[in-house]
Amino acid sequence: MAMQYEGMVYRPPSEARSFILQVTIGCSNNSCTFCSMYKDKKFRIRTFDEIKSDVEWVANTYGRDIAKIFLADGDALTIPTDELIRILALLHENFPYSPRITSYGTPG
């Protein structure tokens, strides 16, 4: 089994060589006139089981020495806090030496 990406996945330049983990599909706002990145996707938060499957596959395939992790797609911060903490704990368990986890986030 491989990563289960949906649609086009965008990698910010600062995330070169990062593990791109799609925790949401699309963007929760998706109405910015200057951005066309997620127009082809309907926003949803991926299930924990979907995310866990991807994390475990990467850990088993590439090892636990992942330096950077990027939570994609457009707005990982829309995930309810308790669920986001659960995802971060899963990442820490599988990649205990990763010094950086980043994401896009909309203001409000």
Side-chain angles (χ1 to χ4, degrees):
M1 189 176 106
M3 294 286 297
Q4 300 298 307
Y5 290 120
E6 285 187 37
M8 179 69 75
V9 175
Y10 297 92
R11 178 187 303 270
S14 62
E15 297 304 328
R17 295 186 213 97
S18 290
F19 164 28
I20 304 294
L21 177 61
Q22 201 174 29
V23 295
T24 62
I25 305 300
C27 175
S28 62
N29 185 25
N30 211 19
S31 63
C32 298
T33 58
F34 60 85
C35 178
S36 61
M37 286 174 53
Y38 303 107
K39 300 298 184 198
D40 64 333
K41 300 178 186 182
K42 181 177 167 131
F43 179 77
R44 75 176 179 90
I45 297 171
R46 291 183 74 209
T47 68
F48 183 79
D49 288 340
E50 289 174 312
I51 294 166
K52 183 178 179 186
S53 177
D54 284 349
V55 168
E56 289 175 349
W57 185 84
V58 169
N60 291 329
T61 304
Y62 296 103
R64 297 166 58 93
D65 293 329
I66 300 292
K68 299 188 300 184
I69 301 167
F70 180 74
L71 304 180
D73 264 349
D75 194 358
L77 298 181
T78 60
I79 297 172
T81 302
D82 59 335
E83 192 68 10
L84 188 55
I85 290 170
R86 189 173 174 208
I87 293 166
L88 294 173
L90 174 70
L91 288 169
H92 180 69
E93 176 184 321
N94 283 275
F95 308 107
Y97 307 108
S98 180
R100 187 174 99 166
I101 299 172
T102 58
S103 71
Y104 287 142
T106 57

